[in-house]
Amino acid sequence: MRLFQNMAISASALTAERLKMDLAANNIANYNTTGYRRKVAVQAERPGDFQRTLEQALGVQGLSAVGQGVRITEIVEDPSPLRVEFDPAHPDADEQGYVQKSNVDPLTEIVDLMMAQRAYEANVTALNAAKSMALKALEIGK
Amino acid sequence: MIGRDLTVRALERALSAASLRQQVIANNIANLNTPGFKRSRVEFESLLAEALAKGEDPSQVRPKVVQETNSIGRPDGNNVALELEMTELAETQIWHAALVRQMSDHFGRMRQVIYEGRR
């Protein structure tokens, strides 16, 4: 039923944005962890079902020519260099006394967190709109 | 399609278009942060106006999903503007509620005719 499809689209986005917030929080938490590389989510539009793919291939404009939200395709590690700190007393220090910490930049993580939160709130509004329209439609003829 | 009542058929079409529009907007909002994503919109009112101008049957008009590939958007190619989507969402919700009200009023009038005619 198309009504619940609307909500499934917003729900997919809520899941994705929540995951991104968790990743940002985890990155910040591991700011001082030796050898930690920040994790980044790669997201893409969720493809429709087979019928939609078929319709697109045939060039037919069907009602199923609507994207089905978003999904996280993979979680990758940021390959940028680790932050090096001079701390000879640290158990993980090398011969010169340097420790390779993480490559987490707190500013980047906080910006990512804020963007994900903003998107989360917007998708909650979209979900509420779908719910309210479905409930309204139930009142037809009452 | 419900019976031969033109009003009901036209309203049902519009309700279907409103639901589709909400779905497309929901997908735009869901992909707010997806790199390279291009927003889509639903065309209905313009198609309806065209059909009326040409003298065609308005209840045969189907809504069309159009992807906006021409606008550049942000550096990663994403052209979803949150403010626009939220505004369109609010408009769609109100339009949908207005259509539901019209549909209910129509049935209410029919019911009144049936009951009044019985006396």
Side-chain angles (χ1 to χ4, degrees), chain A residues 2 5-6 9 13 17 20 43 45 61 63 67 69-70 115 119 122-123 125-126 129-130 132-133 136 139-141, chain B residues 16 18-20 22-23 26-27 29-35 37 64-65 82 86 89 93 96-97 100 103-104 111:
Chain A
R2 216 187 305 138
Q5 219 177 332
N6 296 6
I9 289 173
E17 300 300 337
K20 282 156 67 180
Q43 67 182 79
E45 185 182 10
Q61 186 64 251
L63 283 179
V70 72
M115 275 177 56
N123 279 289
T125 305
S132 129
M133 280 165 68
K136 257 277 184 269
E139 291 172 19
I140 293 175
Chain B
S16 180
S19 177
L20 178 66
Q22 194 279 334
Q23 196 180 353
N27 190 52
I29 294 173
N31 285 282
L32 178 62
N33 289 323
T34 304
F37 178 83
K64 203 166 78 155
V65 178
L82 188 59
M86 299 305 263
L89 187 67
Q93 241 179 305
H96 184 269
V100 165
M103 187 85 97
S104 292
R111 200 180 294 126

Side-chain angles (χ1 to χ4, degrees), chain A:
Chain A
M1 206 206 288
R2 216 187 305 138
L3 294 167
F4 302 143
Q5 219 177 332
N6 296 6
M7 291 195 253
I9 289 173
S10 296
S12 75
L14 292 177
T15 308
E17 300 300 337
R18 173 57 67 94
L19 176 66
K20 282 156 67 180
M21 284 195 262
D22 288 347
L23 282 178
N26 189 48
N27 287 339
I28 293 172
N30 283 285
Y31 177 71
N32 277 321
T33 303
T34 308
Y36 180 83
R37 297 211 118 88
R38 70 182 280 255
K39 293 187 173 57
V40 182
V42 178
Q43 67 182 79
E45 185 182 10
R46 175 179 284 191
D49 49 20
F50 174 73
Q51 190 195 354
R52 172 168 167 261
T53 319
L54 181 65
E55 282 178 3
Q56 277 185 344
L58 294 173
V60 174
Q61 186 64 251
L63 283 179
S64 57
V66 182
Q68 295 306 302
V70 72
R71 65 186 175 137
I72 304 292
T73 49
E74 56 178 327
I75 297 171
V76 296
E77 280 190 355
D78 186 341
S80 48
L82 300 173
R83 188 181 75 254
V84 177
E85 286 182 6
F86 182 73
D87 187 7
H90 197 280
D92 295 326
D94 59 14
E95 303 84 47
Q96 281 96 24
Y98 288 102
V99 185
Q100 294 210 310
K101 294 281 176 82
S102 69
N103 63 354
V104 174
D105 174 24
L107 276 171
T108 309
E109 299 307 323
I110 287 170
V111 167
D112 285 351
L113 196 69
M114 280 166 55
M115 275 177 56
Q117 192 181 357
R118 184 166 164 259
Y120 189 92
E121 287 168 5
N123 279 289
V124 166
T125 305
L127 187 81
N128 284 333
K131 195 172 76 168
S132 129
M133 280 165 68
L135 288 171
K136 257 277 184 269
L138 282 174
E139 291 172 19
I140 293 175
K142 279 224 175 120

